[in-house]
Amino acid sequence: MALIQRKLWKQVSSEEIKDFVIDEYKKQSENPCPVDKIKKFTDSTRRTSCGECVICREGILQLNVVAEAISEGKGRDGDIEILTEISDDLTIGSCCDYGKEVGKITKEILEKGIEEFEKHIKRKRCDALICKKFFSYYIAPQKCNGCNKCKEECPQKAIAGDKDLIHVINSDICDRCGKCTIICEKTAIQKAGAVVPKLPQEPVPVGTFKAEPQNGGGLMAGRRRRRS
Ligand code: SF4
Ligand code: SF4
Ligand code: SF4
């Protein structure tokens, strides 16, 4: 694979290389989370680097490893500086425009999303609710009609419920695959960040659950999600 790509890059023009890398970046244009954006952008570009120079081969891989760790809640002080340094090294030291372009684009994403990076690292938060570690799925009790389709769909068997009961997701088992959200016609399955709305602890008959406002806070005045 690497050999085929090496031959390919040597045959194409600098403009074509840039277009290829920019197209990879554009695949992430709708992604609202800069951490996930860099993770996915570097995952795809590391696979198509020809691998001839070390900075491109290892640098893009390291960008991907660090971004992935941040997205999984394992970000550490200094990670932003590491990402910046590797991006600069790629831009300066790559043998062709492939690595240079990856470094340049990564640094742009990083600079525009610096606040989001800091939130992921320091506060363990993803405001866009994209990084799986930082959100959970819950079933809005007022919307669930007890059709049972989500329970049948869930590969982890993380959903409790039966016909005509409000279903409940066990966040400790759920792996955030999102399959249940696609099957639910009532759009009852939603994402929550640090604050989870008040929910039934176990399935109850449809229509019987009443959200009790806490301190006048309404539905979202629920519980803080336990961090695993
Ligand atoms: S920067 Fe180096 S490793 Fe990367 S694609 Fe160009 S020649 Fe290959
Ligand atoms: S969450 Fe949706 S799919 Fe699951 S039982 Fe309720 S309405 Fe049906
Ligand atoms: S997100 Fe996936 S694992 Fe979690 S409850 Fe839905 S289907 Fe099950």
Side-chain angles (χ1 to χ4, degrees):
M1 177 68 182
L3 189 61
I4 294 167
Q5 292 297 339
R6 177 154 56 241
K7 283 181 181 169
L8 177 69
W9 294 128
K10 282 188 172 174
Q11 287 164 10
V12 300
S13 70
S14 166
E15 286 311 309
E16 283 174 281
I17 292 174
K18 283 186 187 175
D19 286 348
F20 177 88
V21 177
I22 288 168
D23 281 349
E24 288 303 305
Y25 168 60
K26 282 183 180 165
K27 288 178 187 168
Q28 298 303 318
S29 60
E30 302 292 316
N31 188 339
C33 173
V35 176
D36 194 61
K37 202 179 255 190
I38 289 184
K39 185 177 94 174
K40 291 189 173 141
F41 173 63
T42 53
D43 185 52
S44 65
T45 49
R46 80 183 174 83
R47 293 172 194 277
T48 43
S49 156
C50 81
E52 194 168 282
C53 44
V54 175
I55 180 57
C56 179
R57 187 179 66 235
E58 296 299 323
I60 301 176
L61 175 63
Q62 281 310 309
L63 289 174
N64 180 252
V65 167
V66 175
E68 185 164 351
I70 295 171
S71 80
E72 288 177 353
K74 298 174 194 156
R76 295 180 298 195
D77 285 347
D79 279 354
I80 293 173
E81 289 73 16
I82 290 170
L83 290 172
T84 305
E85 197 176 319
I86 299 172
S87 303
D88 286 341
D89 287 348
L90 273 164
T91 306
I92 295 163
S94 295
C95 296
C96 82
D97 281 312
Y98 186 94
K100 289 182 195 297
E101 205 61 22
V102 172
K104 204 174 84 185
I105 290 174
T106 302
K107 191 162 177 193
E108 275 175 23
I109 303 170
L110 188 58
E111 285 177 346
K112 279 187 195 155
I114 198 92
E115 283 181 25
E116 272 303 310
F117 268 85
E118 282 168 355
K119 281 183 193 169
H120 280 70
I121 294 167
K122 294 186 177 143
R123 297 166 67 187
K124 307 301 175 197
R125 260 178 60 176
C126 173
D127 284 351
L129 302 183
I130 295 293
C131 297
K132 289 183 178 182
K133 190 72 180 174
F134 303 132
F135 74 83
S136 60
Y137 281 112
Y138 71 93
I139 294 175
Q142 290 82 355
K143 287 189 157 195
C144 177
N145 67 2
C147 71
N148 208 37
K149 286 181 185 166
C150 57
K151 185 180 168 188
E152 290 165 4
E153 185 75 5
C154 177
Q156 301 298 323
K157 305 205 179 311
I159 302 178
D162 217 327
K163 277 274 179 196
D164 302 322
L165 296 180
I166 294 169
H167 286 49
V168 177
I169 294 176
N170 182 340
S171 287
D172 293 334
I173 302 173
C174 170
D175 68 0
R176 282 77 164 155
C177 72
K179 288 185 178 168
C180 55
T181 64
I182 297 164
I183 197 106
C184 179
E185 291 164 5
K186 292 292 179 184
T187 60
I189 303 174
Q190 299 174 4
K191 288 179 176 178
V195 179
V196 182
K198 184 170 171 55
L199 302 169
Q201 295 299 302
E202 56 189 31
V204 294
V206 169
T208 61
F209 181 75
K210 299 274 179 282
E212 294 167 16
Q214 294 180 351
N215 305 322
L219 183 64
M220 287 306 289
R223 62 179 191 273
R224 291 227 152 239
R225 184 157 64 91
R226 190 155 44 91
R227 296 249 172 247
S228 52

